[in-house]
Amino acid sequence: MCYPLSGYTFGSKDPQPEEDTSVSARLLRLQNEYEQQGVRHTVEGVLVVHEHGHPHILMLQIANTFFKLPGDTLKPGEDQIEGLKKRLSLRLAPGTEQDSTDWEVELLSVPRNMKLLAVPLFELYDNAQRYGPQLSALPHLLS
């Protein structure tokens, strides 16, 4: 379902620091994890809203330069749908609860060290330089 952006209320909660301080540190950590655990599975939520008659994607902005969808890595053997619900709750639900049986929410609480942006699909299209190849491909994938 695609709801209007005005149907949501936005709040803030405690910061959720990123695991890595730089891109090189992230690549090193991921390489070490792969050597220890093998392939990892990631889930990310594409939250579509509409504003001014156009579809928008809700995404997190970190440090004014890095954009990402809400989600994270699954634990080995974890169910994808339940894992996504837990990660969405951890990232965007009020408080710190990690269990949510139904993820239709009206209040989104954003960690203080991040911004939640509603980016129009037309801005994402063919804009890999700003949003990266994964996010800039969303308009094509959703069409």
Side-chain angles (χ1 to χ4, degrees):
M1 303 223 68
C2 184
Y3 295 105
L5 185 60
S6 61
Y8 294 93
T9 304
F10 300 93
S12 63
K13 62 183 182 178
D14 291 337
Q16 294 178 358
E18 289 295 304
E19 291 182 60
D20 308 301
T21 56
S22 68
V23 173
S24 58
R26 178 175 171 79
L27 291 175
L28 181 61
R29 180 179 58 81
L30 293 175
Q31 182 178 355
N32 289 337
E33 285 180 5
Y34 176 75
E35 290 171 0
Q36 294 173 0
Q37 301 170 8
V39 176
R40 65 187 212 153
H41 298 273
T42 302
V43 291
E44 296 177 324
V46 178
L47 306 175
V48 182
V49 297
H50 64 85
E51 180 76 0
H52 306 296
H54 294 283
H56 290 59
I57 303 294
L58 294 180
M59 63 179 64
L60 296 166
Q61 182 182 23
I62 304 164
N64 293 326
T65 56
F66 183 69
F67 300 90
K68 69 185 231 176
L69 297 170
D72 208 345
T73 305
L74 292 172
K75 295 176 182 171
E78 186 175 15
D79 179 72
Q80 291 181 358
I81 294 172
E82 291 305 312
L84 177 60
K85 288 179 183 178
K86 284 181 184 179
R87 273 118 192 115
L88 288 175
S89 294
L90 177 65
R91 193 63 88 180
L92 295 175
T96 57
E97 60 271 359
Q98 293 185 28
D99 256 342
S100 178
T101 56
D102 186 12
W103 220 85
E104 289 191 26
V105 296
E106 295 177 3
L107 171 63
L108 299 174
S109 292
V110 183
R112 285 189 191 92
N113 60 321
M114 300 177 190
K115 294 178 188 175
L116 185 66
L117 303 176
V119 180
L121 280 182
F122 63 80
E123 184 177 327
L124 290 172
Y125 181 76
D126 201 25
N127 200 350
Q129 184 176 4
R130 178 172 176 143
Y131 295 104
Q134 179 185 17
L135 297 175
S136 66
L138 283 175
H140 175 75
L141 295 170
L142 294 172
S143 67

